Amino acid sequence: MIYLDNSATTQPYKEVLDAYRKAAENFFANPSSLHRKGGEAERLFRQARMSISDLLQVKMNEIIFTSGGTESNNLAIKGSALQYMNRGKHLITTSIEHASVLESFRQLESMGFEVTYLPVNREGEISLDDLDEALTSETILVSIMHVNNEIGAIQPIKEAGKLIKQKSRAFFHIDDVQGIGKVPLNFNEVQADLVSYSAHKFHGLKGNGVLIKRDKLSLFPLLSGGGQESDIRSGTENGPGIVAMAKALRLYLGKADAQKEKLKTLQTLLLKELSDIEGVKLNSTRLGAPHIVNFSVPGIKPEVLIHTLEEKEIYVSTRSACSSKTAAASHVLTSVGLSDQGAKSAIRISLSFDTTIEEVEFFLEELQKVIPKLKHVMR
């Protein structure tokens, strides 16, 4: 199997599955329970929080455990907007965010908030001048994704953070779900107040995520109940999943420095070879993240191409997995200027640290064979 859909989800490491099984078997008690078993589960849970805070270089009390990237984004955006609406009701984001971000803002618009959606250029990058112009005394939150999940565009996060803090009192949220480990982001340098992560994007398990929240910041809780996670996210903690997430993060970040050059080499190979294939149009550039390459094959339905490659045990995707079943053109690709036909015929390749050059070469060889055949059939 050649798995090239790592931006949708990654394969859990064996050690992660082992850690989950061990924790679920031996530390299954509710960490809030007062008895000895509850205390044992609570201590293991605390060790996992300490490990994750060390790896992400933040304080333990700045970590809120969630169910994944979507919940982290919802909590960051709606939680801060509702908490600070007495300061102002203006919010800023970009036109190419993940659905969990865009839908959160649309929900807030229906509640009376005003949202500015920053446009992007052909490379998928925002303009700092546009951000500067959009910031007002009423702006209470700016949310910008670090790495785009469809084309790999990298936003000028550090410069944006500096501008936001110089010119406004707005809080700064970063969706770093796709960037972690592959495109460096120093939480302190970029002056972020909130950062979202999802465990299954770094070989952890689905159902676990993290929202980093500066300890000076308060959030309006979206889930009420027993007061877990400092009264911000009630609900019994998924202890075994969190232990597995800590394991995954340690293993994943441990590989990052050694594998970055390999990812860049694979990206360069993909961009060069794809640009030489007749009928292929590149949508990603060398300036983007090294693990995401997007291209279109006008005239061929992407689902047909996906299922044809699948017969060779090659797995790629069309767009964000959360939006892959909609027939509408990708909002990301239309935002960067692609035609409706180009946006509807896009394919995304997303790599992991474990992807090999032989796998990429085999994919390219098969793609070169199937495109002329499919074009002939679809005439």
Side-chain angles (χ1 to χ4, degrees):
M1 177 180 75
I2 298 176
Y3 184 75
L4 302 175
D5 193 17
N6 290 280
S7 286
T9 195
T10 54
Q11 183 174 16
Y13 292 135
K14 178 182 179 302
E15 295 92 332
V16 169
L17 296 172
D18 291 342
Y20 179 86
R21 187 179 302 110
K22 184 177 178 182
E25 286 177 351
N26 300 307
F27 299 92
F28 57 86
N30 190 322
S32 297
S33 294
L34 296 179
H35 51 64
R36 180 167 55 85
K37 282 293 184 185
E40 291 173 354
E42 198 277 336
R43 281 192 290 278
L44 184 66
F45 178 54
R46 182 178 172 78
Q47 286 173 8
R49 185 188 297 276
M50 187 183 304
S51 175
I52 290 171
S53 69
D54 285 344
L55 290 165
L56 296 178
Q57 299 179 28
V58 297
K59 300 174 188 173
M60 285 177 64
N61 66 351
E62 291 179 326
I63 286 181
I64 302 170
F65 291 122
T66 68
S67 62
T70 289
E71 185 185 339
S72 293
N73 285 337
N74 271 262
L75 179 56
I77 294 164
K78 288 185 274 191
S80 54
L82 295 174
Q83 183 69 28
Y84 293 99
M85 60 191 295
N86 61 328
R87 289 189 185 179
K89 299 186 80 172
H90 179 237
L91 314 165
I92 298 174
T93 189
T94 84
S95 60
I96 61 168
E97 299 292 316
H98 185 268
S100 60
V101 170
L102 290 177
E103 291 305 317
S104 293
F105 280 106
R106 285 171 187 146
Q107 190 175 12
L108 289 167
E109 280 183 298
S110 72
M111 298 167 66
F113 286 86
E114 178 192 354
V115 181
T116 298
Y117 297 91
L118 300 175
V120 295
N121 61 18
R122 177 63 185 85
E123 285 71 42
E125 299 168 6
I126 63 164
S127 157
L128 291 172
D129 288 339
D130 287 344
L131 174 60
D132 190 0
E133 190 175 330
L135 288 166
T136 75
S137 59
E138 293 291 308
T139 308
I140 56 172
L141 175 70
V142 179
S143 179
I144 300 175
M145 72 191 328
H146 182 202
V147 172
N148 182 264
N149 53 320
E150 292 192 30
I151 59 173
I154 302 172
Q155 300 300 341
I157 291 294
K158 186 175 179 180
E159 294 80 3
K162 183 178 179 182
L163 178 60
I164 292 163
K165 296 304 174 185
Q166 282 180 343
K167 195 173 176 187
S168 74
R169 294 191 302 161
F171 296 112
F172 185 25
H173 167 242
I174 301 170
D175 176 356
D176 194 31
V177 166
Q178 294 290 343
I180 185 169
K182 297 187 174 99
V183 182
L185 180 77
N186 185 306
F187 182 66
N188 298 306
E189 284 184 358
V190 298
Q191 303 187 58
D193 298 292
L194 299 147
V195 184
S196 298
Y197 293 113
S198 180
H200 74 100
K201 306 296 188 182
F202 51 82
H203 304 272
L205 303 177
K206 298 172 187 64
N208 289 101
V210 168
L211 175 64
I212 296 176
K213 178 193 76 66
R214 288 290 190 198
D215 53 9
K216 66 182 181 184
L217 174 66
S218 299
L219 291 177
F220 185 90
L222 304 186
L223 299 177
S224 302
Q228 290 89 346
E229 295 303 288
S230 304
D231 285 329
I232 293 173
R233 200 270 186 183
S234 289
T236 303
E237 301 91 343
N238 179 0
I242 291 167
V243 169
M245 177 164 62
K247 186 77 172 180
L249 189 60
R250 181 171 297 283
L251 292 170
Y252 176 78
L253 293 181
K255 293 184 177 186
D257 285 341
Q259 298 300 322
K260 281 176 190 166
E261 281 305 311
K262 185 182 81 172
L263 283 183
K264 194 65 185 173
T265 299
L266 296 180
Q267 179 202 35
T268 302
L269 175 65
L270 279 164
L271 291 175
K272 178 182 181 307
E273 295 298 319
L274 287 170
S275 66
D276 288 342
I277 298 176
E278 186 176 351
V280 169
K281 294 188 176 181
L282 286 173
N283 303 324
S284 295
T285 73
R286 289 184 296 105
L287 300 177
H291 59 295
I292 299 175
V293 173
N294 191 300
F295 63 94
S296 295
V297 190
I300 296 180
K301 291 182 178 179
E303 59 269 29
V304 173
L305 185 52
I306 284 174
H307 291 311
T308 303
L309 291 170
E310 179 183 282
E311 293 173 4
K312 298 290 183 181
E313 290 291 302
I314 298 170
Y315 297 91
V316 300
S317 62
T318 52
R319 57 205 292 189
S320 164
C322 296
S323 306
S324 62
K325 294 184 179 177
T326 177
S330 157
H331 71 283
V332 174
L333 296 177
T334 53
S335 293
V336 301
L338 260 68
S339 65
D340 196 63
Q341 184 189 36
K344 284 184 173 177
S345 61
I347 296 290
R348 179 183 67 179
I349 307 301
S350 49
L351 313 174
S352 79
F353 291 143
D354 300 320
T355 306
T356 66
I357 191 165
E358 290 79 14
E359 290 175 329
V360 170
E361 288 174 341
F362 183 75
F363 157 72
L364 289 165
E365 288 171 11
E366 292 302 317
L367 186 68
Q368 285 179 312
K369 293 177 188 173
V370 302
I371 286 179
K373 291 179 183 176
L374 291 176
K375 285 206 166 185
H376 179 72
V377 170
M378 299 178 86
R379 275 179 188 167

